[in-house]
């Protein structure tokens, strides 16, 4: 077992005098205005980024002295920092929540009018449930009862998914530093375990009771009319879902089948499977009710109830499996991971990489992690290429004391670290550009 001790250093006057700070940091950290910096000493620094010109920095000691002059005491400065921090946190929470919620809804429902589409979907399923329930009360058909339960399950499932998406947009807090992204999977999992299994159980129970204790079915004319209307509405939403998936598949260069099979976001297939199961269940119920009308045998109607219950159980199993996989966190495709690994290994600034992991977070998001061993010589050489070597040599020759040596090392050491940060930013940008989530 290795025991590590951390030594906390106190920054003395010599460090603060030789430590630089940018204007933005001076304004944010010391609660100053841009006009407060006009009278302070200014130093030009070279930027580690190729596309950025030199920028101005200030001595931290000058900035600290100016902040005490403006605020009067360290206590007053601390109170102002706290006030600004609280205001910034509140603003960021509201901004993050609104942007995230809008993005989640757009991802889930495509580029259609989000709120209108969601309301129409919930209203359609609610009306289907109401009219199918009336038809069951009037006819006593077991198949119609199962259809009513199916529509109720669809309505509750859509409401739960909308709630899950809304909760997943909550701002991270100290107890949940990575946010609440998984709430949409939890809501869908609850839907699968509770609503659909309950619906499947009631349908099977009603079908079995109908087989054990058959009873005559009343006139099914109104039931057929209601099923016809349900078939039209369910078919329309199924076509919308298919068109949206086809559009997304074309955008990623995949076939419809490949996109559905390889999709790592359960919500993509949940909508498709729900609508397909709804259309199929209407067909099963209408067929079995038709056989009962023709033959006068109520057993066919009970078999239809069992068939609809089986469809509900299938949807339930799919929701449980896909959302459990999403909550556990699956790796991205091996080909994608290999491509990202090769991209890092081929970069001149990277000596080696270790422990590479990439987890699909759903909704077109990937969490990528790798331990990178940077080549310090390459980083330093990149820094030196942007320097005036003759001027640098003159600075070295002028170093006569330990304090001058310390100032020289602090200046260029910080610049090299900035250069390393710029290389990390570049690698992150390259990874995002080359990463395609299927």
């Amino acid at each position: 077992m290795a025991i590590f001790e951390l030594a906390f250093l106190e920054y003395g006057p010599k460090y603060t005098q030789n430590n630089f700070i940018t204007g933005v940091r001076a304004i944010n950290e010391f609660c100053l205005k841009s006009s407060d910096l006009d009278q302070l000493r200014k130093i030009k620094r070279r930027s580690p980024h190729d596309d950025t010109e030199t920028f101005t920095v200030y001595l931290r000691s000058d900035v600290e002295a100016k902040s005490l002059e403006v605020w009067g005491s360290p206590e007053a400065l601390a109170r102002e920092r706290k006030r600004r921090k609280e205001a910034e946190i509140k603003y960021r929470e509201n901004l993050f929540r609104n942007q995230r919620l809008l993005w989640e809804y757009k991802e889930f429902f495509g580029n259609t009018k989000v709120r209108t589409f969601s309301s129409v979907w919930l209203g359609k399923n609610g009306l289907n449930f109401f009219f199918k329930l009336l038809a069951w009360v009037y006819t006593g058909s077991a198949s119609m009862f199962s259809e009513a339960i199916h529509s109720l399950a669809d309505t509750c499932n859509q409401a739960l998914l909308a709630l899950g998406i809304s909760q997943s947009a909550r701002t991270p807090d100290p107890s949940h530093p990575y946010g609440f992204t998984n709430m949409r999977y939890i809501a869908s999992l609850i839907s699968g375990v509770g609503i659909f299994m309950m619906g499947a159980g009631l349908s099977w129970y009603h079908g079995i009771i109908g087989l054990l204790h058959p009873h005559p079915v009343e006139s099914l004319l109104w039931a057929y009319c209601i099923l016809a209307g349900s078939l039209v509405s369910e078919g329309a939403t199924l076509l919308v879902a298919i068109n949206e998936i086809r559009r997304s598949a074309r955008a990623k260069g995949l076939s419809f089948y490949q996109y559905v099979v390889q999709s790592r976001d359960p919500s993509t297939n949940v909508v498709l499977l729900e609508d397909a199961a709804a259309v199929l269940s209407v067909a099963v119920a209408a067929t079995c009710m038709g056989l009962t009308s023709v033959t006068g045998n109520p057993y066919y109607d009970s078999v239809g109830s069992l068939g609809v219950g089986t469809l509900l159980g299938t949807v339930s199993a799919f929701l449980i499996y896909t959302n459990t996989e999403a909550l556990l966190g699956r790796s991205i495709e091996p080909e994608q991971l290999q491509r990202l690994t090769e991209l890092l290994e081929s970069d001149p600034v990277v000596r080696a990489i270790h422990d590479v992991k990439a987890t699909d977070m759903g909704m077109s998001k990937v969490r990528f992690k790798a331990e990178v061993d940077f080549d310090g010589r390459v980083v330093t050489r990149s820094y030196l290429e942007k320097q005036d070597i003759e001027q640098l040599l003159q600075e070295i020759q002028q170093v006569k004391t330990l304090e001058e040596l310390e100032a020289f090392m602090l200046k260029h050491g910080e610049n090299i670290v900035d250069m390393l940060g710029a290389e990390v930013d570049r690698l992150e940008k390259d990874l995002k550009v080359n990463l395609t989530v299927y």
Side-chain angles (χ1 to χ4, degrees):
M1 178 183 296
I3 301 177
F4 299 92
E5 294 184 359
L6 298 178
F8 295 93
L9 301 179
E10 208 172 293
Y11 297 124
K14 183 184 298 185
Y15 176 82
T16 57
Q17 289 173 1
N18 293 325
N19 196 21
F20 302 105
I21 183 172
T22 63
V24 175
R25 288 187 58 191
I27 293 174
N28 293 335
E29 295 182 14
F30 292 92
C31 305
L32 298 175
K33 301 178 181 177
S34 57
S35 58
D36 295 329
L37 304 178
D38 292 342
Q39 304 302 322
L40 301 184
R41 288 176 290 180
K42 302 177 179 63
I43 303 170
K44 293 293 183 180
R45 297 283 299 275
R46 291 180 178 271
S47 172
H49 301 275
D50 294 330
D51 55 351
T52 306
E53 299 179 354
T54 59
F55 60 97
T56 303
V57 296
Y58 304 85
L59 288 175
R60 180 180 286 271
S61 57
D62 292 349
V63 175
E64 290 177 348
K66 186 64 177 179
S67 66
L68 293 179
E69 176 187 337
V70 172
W71 294 102
S73 67
E75 292 76 14
L77 175 61
R79 287 194 298 270
E80 180 63 17
R81 281 175 173 171
K82 182 179 179 181
R83 187 190 68 80
R84 294 191 181 189
K85 186 67 174 178
E86 291 174 350
E88 181 184 0
I89 290 175
K90 185 176 180 180
Y91 170 78
R92 288 183 178 274
E93 284 180 351
N94 293 332
L95 181 64
F96 174 83
R97 178 176 177 81
N98 293 335
Q99 291 179 342
R100 179 71 176 277
L101 185 61
L102 180 61
W103 184 83
E104 294 279 4
Y105 273 117
K106 284 184 177 180
E107 282 291 318
F108 184 76
F109 290 113
N111 294 325
T112 57
K113 295 182 178 179
V114 177
R115 294 181 181 178
T116 302
F117 186 73
S118 178
S119 300
V120 170
W121 204 342
L122 287 172
K124 180 264 297 181
N125 286 327
L127 288 175
N128 281 339
F129 164 69
F130 177 73
F131 286 114
K132 289 176 182 178
L133 186 65
L134 289 181
W136 168 67
V137 172
Y138 179 73
T139 64
S141 169
S143 295
M144 186 56 69
F145 173 80
S146 298
E147 272 299 295
I149 294 298
H150 191 168
S151 295
L152 175 63
D154 283 346
T155 304
C156 295
N157 181 51
Q158 293 303 323
L160 271 176
L161 287 178
L163 176 63
I165 292 175
S166 175
Q167 291 297 310
S168 68
R170 292 169 57 188
T171 305
D173 56 34
S175 301
H176 307 85
Y178 290 103
F180 300 84
T181 304
N182 287 334
M183 278 301 300
R184 62 178 173 273
Y185 301 130
I186 295 174
S188 187
L189 184 62
I190 294 173
S191 173
V193 174
I195 298 175
F196 278 102
M197 288 303 291
M198 181 183 67
L202 287 175
S203 297
W204 285 328
Y205 172 79
H206 209 72
I208 292 173
I209 292 298
L211 291 176
L212 296 178
H213 307 286
H215 60 85
V217 179
E218 301 296 333
S219 174
L220 297 176
L221 176 61
W222 287 109
Y224 291 139
C225 295
I226 292 174
L227 285 180
S230 177
L231 181 63
V232 172
S233 62
E234 300 289 2
T237 54
L238 176 60
L239 289 177
V240 172
I242 292 175
N243 289 333
E244 286 295 325
I245 293 179
R246 281 179 176 172
R247 181 184 57 80
S248 300
R250 284 196 301 268
K252 294 184 178 295
L254 299 174
S255 66
F256 181 87
Y257 175 79
Q258 289 174 327
Y259 184 85
V260 172
V261 171
Q262 297 179 11
S263 177
R264 297 303 183 97
D265 181 12
S267 61
T268 301
N269 292 335
V270 165
V271 176
L272 177 65
L273 184 60
E274 280 184 1
D275 290 335
V279 171
L280 187 58
S281 67
V282 170
V284 170
T287 300
C288 292
M289 290 168 61
L291 290 174
T292 296
S293 298
V294 172
T295 63
N297 188 346
Y299 284 109
Y300 291 111
D301 184 55
S302 299
V303 170
S305 179
L306 294 175
V308 174
T310 301
L311 286 174
L312 284 170
T314 302
V315 174
S316 171
F318 173 82
L319 288 174
I320 293 172
Y321 172 76
T322 54
N323 286 282
T324 300
E325 287 288 301
L327 288 171
L328 290 175
R330 293 183 297 180
S331 174
I332 63 175
E333 295 292 338
E335 296 79 9
Q336 287 181 284
L337 186 59
Q338 181 65 27
R339 187 171 69 252
L340 297 179
T341 303
E342 292 175 353
L343 176 65
L344 286 178
E345 290 178 337
S346 62
D347 196 280
V349 79
V350 176
R351 183 186 291 122
I353 59 173
H354 312 280
D355 195 21
V356 180
K357 297 176 182 177
T359 305
D360 195 314
M361 305 299 294
M363 306 301 286
S364 300
K365 292 184 293 185
V366 171
R367 178 179 294 172
F368 181 84
K369 175 257 181 187
E371 296 178 5
V372 181
D373 180 11
F374 289 95
D375 192 329
R377 292 178 177 271
V378 175
V379 175
T380 305
R381 188 174 292 111
S382 298
Y383 171 72
L384 291 176
E385 290 175 353
K386 299 179 181 179
Q387 305 300 311
D388 186 340
I389 299 299
E390 293 184 359
Q391 181 181 353
L392 190 62
L393 180 60
Q394 291 177 3
E395 291 182 14
I396 296 174
Q397 292 172 347
Q398 292 174 0
V399 173
K400 303 298 182 183
T401 64
L402 290 177
E403 291 186 354
E404 292 175 346
L405 176 61
E406 180 185 15
F408 176 83
M409 295 299 295
L410 284 173
K411 173 185 176 182
H412 294 283
E414 185 177 7
N415 288 344
I416 292 176
V417 172
D418 290 341
M419 174 66 70
L420 179 59
E423 293 294 339
V424 172
D425 293 340
R426 179 181 59 80
L427 289 175
E428 289 180 351
K429 184 178 180 180
D430 291 342
L431 289 174
K432 290 179 181 179
V433 170
N434 285 272
L435 179 61
T436 304
V437 181
Y438 291 96

